[in-house]
Amino acid sequence: MAFFRPRVSREAEVRYHADQEISRSFPELLEKARQAEQTLRELRAAAADEIELLAAGRAFDETLTEALRAAEAGQRATFGVKSYDDRIARRKAKATPAGAMWTAEVDRLRTLREENRMWGIPRVPRPVPATR
């Protein structure tokens, strides 16, 4: 007796392999984000002006976003190729130790990015154009 086992779509396979490639750069991107965070903390400790803090905060946000994208790709790749087409397979994969580890890492990075966007990037008033 043959059982019908649906194959995954070609699009899911392509996305899976693309996510595997993107997730390989996660450790380097995370290290860049740590360095950007360290630079931001050093500038805050040195009481730098707001323009320098703004540039450092934005740089940290950009590196953190890149690391988050790589972590999300790693999470999807860890879930497996079936999870791209099947939400139940995705949910089951989240319950595995590797899936839970990637989910926690993604949540941690999202929280860190949100915190930086709310409090880490100073609000600098925009210059008002002269009217005459």
Side-chain angles (χ1 to χ4, degrees), residues 26-92:
F26 176 70
E28 297 89 30
L29 293 172
L30 188 62
E31 184 57 36
K32 284 182 184 179
R34 285 184 179 140
Q35 291 172 355
E37 181 182 21
Q38 183 64 32
T39 303
L40 181 62
R41 287 178 187 252
E42 288 171 359
L43 286 174
R44 281 189 194 147
D49 64 339
E50 288 186 346
I51 300 300
E52 290 178 3
L53 287 174
L54 177 68
R58 285 185 178 167
F60 180 47
D61 183 64
E62 289 172 9
T63 57
L64 205 52
T65 300
E66 291 172 5
L68 178 61
R69 286 185 182 142
E72 289 171 341
Q75 180 186 33
R76 288 188 301 268
T78 301
F79 289 172
V81 70
K82 285 175 59 176
S83 69
Y84 287 88
D85 291 337
D86 186 11
R87 68 179 180 83
I88 295 173
R90 188 170 40 252
R91 187 171 172 150
K92 284 182 178 181

Side-chain angles (χ1 to χ4, degrees), residues 12-29 69-82 84 102:
E13 288 180 7
V14 169
R15 290 175 56 203
Y16 173 71
H17 292 296
D19 282 342
Q20 281 182 325
E21 287 296 318
I22 293 169
S23 68
R24 286 191 182 120
S25 64
F26 176 70
E28 297 89 30
L29 293 172
R69 286 185 182 142
E72 289 171 341
Q75 180 186 33
R76 288 188 301 268
T78 301
F79 289 172
V81 70
K82 285 175 59 176
Y84 287 88
W102 275 108

